[in-house]
């Protein structure tokens, strides 16, 4: 069960330190695959709840969310921006937050539950760091979606999974977040182009 958690952490850390905004949908898809892998490994047999959760992860988090985010980034027109500013200070802060999260989780590598707690803490810390260091709307949305994925990993820590109605409500919240977020990110680009075009025509 350690492998999906490690894969999830790598899919969160690598894009923050080395990725561009245009690559965020790909990493979100990898995170979703790791979440589904972790859910299957954690469940004892393929119960109805585990099957519904796996379908939810594949359809919503691995397909719909990355596609909507990719479209919004394309409409925004700034895909080559760094997800997190590439400077020594932010890198040091990011590494320190990750280490602090795993220290909070305890002997992470010795216990799967502690490792999961450390991964969730590191994910939340990374999302907060993104929110505080990059004011680009696409990066802000990516940070929120990273945090939503951390909540999904946190569910694996529970002795019993959330009931299906609660799980469905969380999925609905996630879809609303993705839908509204991508609409807000993608819409201003079209508005800006429409407002700039008349100005350019009036310029002698």
């Amino acid at each position: 069960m350690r492998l999906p958690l490690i894969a999830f952490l790598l899919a969160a850390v690598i894009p923050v330190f080395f990725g561009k905004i245009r690559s965020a949908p790909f990493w979100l898809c990898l995170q979703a695959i790791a979440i589904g892998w972790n859910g299957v490994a954690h469940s004892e047999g393929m119960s109805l709840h585990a099957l519904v959760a796996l379908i939810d992860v594949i359809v919503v988090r691995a397909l719909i969310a990355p596609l909507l985010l990719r479209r919004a980034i394309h409409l925004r027109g700034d895909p080559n921006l760094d997800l997190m500013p590439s400077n020594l200070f932010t890198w040091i802060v990011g590494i320190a937050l990750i280490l602090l999260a795993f220290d909070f989780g305890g002997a992470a590598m010795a216990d799967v539950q502690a490792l999961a707690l450390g991964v969730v803490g590191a994910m939340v810390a990374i999302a907060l760091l993104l929110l505080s260091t990059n004011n680009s709307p696409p990066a802000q949305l990516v940070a929120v979606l990273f945090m939503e994925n951390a909540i999904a990993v946190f569910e694996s820590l529970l002795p019993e999974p959330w009931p299906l109605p609660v799980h469905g409500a969380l999925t609905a919240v996630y879809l609303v977040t993705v839908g509204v977020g991508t609409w807000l990110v993608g819409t201003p680009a079209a508005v800006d182009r429409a407002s700039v075009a008349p100005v350019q025509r009036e310029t002698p």
Side-chain angles (χ1 to χ4, degrees):
M1 283 182 60
R2 292 184 178 87
L3 287 178
L5 292 172
I6 294 173
F8 179 81
L9 182 64
L10 291 176
V13 172
I14 292 175
V16 170
F17 287 96
F18 305 105
K20 304 290 185 180
I21 287 178
R22 67 173 181 269
S23 67
F26 169 76
W27 294 105
L28 278 175
C29 183
L30 289 187
Q31 290 175 22
I33 293 173
I35 292 171
W37 182 12
N38 183 59
V40 171
H42 185 75
S43 63
E44 297 179 357
M46 188 54 70
S47 63
L48 175 62
H49 190 285
L51 181 60
V52 171
L54 181 61
I55 294 174
D56 167 48
V57 168
I58 293 174
V59 174
V60 176
R61 297 177 187 268
L63 294 177
I64 295 177
L67 287 175
L68 289 177
L69 180 61
R70 184 180 300 277
R71 177 179 178 276
I73 292 173
H74 176 73
L75 290 174
R76 189 79 193 184
D78 51 1
N80 292 319
L81 293 178
D82 291 329
L83 198 55
M84 187 177 73
S86 297
N87 60 68
L88 185 60
F89 177 75
T90 53
W91 278 41
I92 290 174
V93 172
I95 293 172
L97 288 174
I98 293 172
L99 293 177
L100 181 62
F102 276 96
D103 184 65
F104 175 75
M109 297 307 296
D111 182 76
V112 174
Q113 295 293 328
L115 175 61
L117 185 60
V119 169
V120 172
M123 192 68 166
V124 172
I126 288 171
L128 293 176
L129 182 63
L130 278 179
L131 288 171
S132 62
T133 57
N134 194 337
N135 60 1
S136 170
Q140 297 269 306
L141 178 58
V142 170
V144 172
L145 296 181
F146 275 23
M147 196 171 296
E148 290 281 355
N149 284 343
I151 294 174
V153 175
F154 179 77
E155 185 179 1
S156 68
L157 294 172
L158 302 177
E160 295 292 334
W162 283 314
L164 283 177
V166 176
H167 193 95
L170 291 174
T171 299
V173 170
Y174 184 84
L175 283 172
V176 170
T177 302
V178 173
V180 174
T182 53
W183 177 76
L184 291 175
V185 168
T187 300
V191 174
D192 291 342
R193 286 195 296 268
S195 61
V196 169
V199 174
Q200 291 176 342
R201 285 196 297 268
E202 293 173 2
T203 303

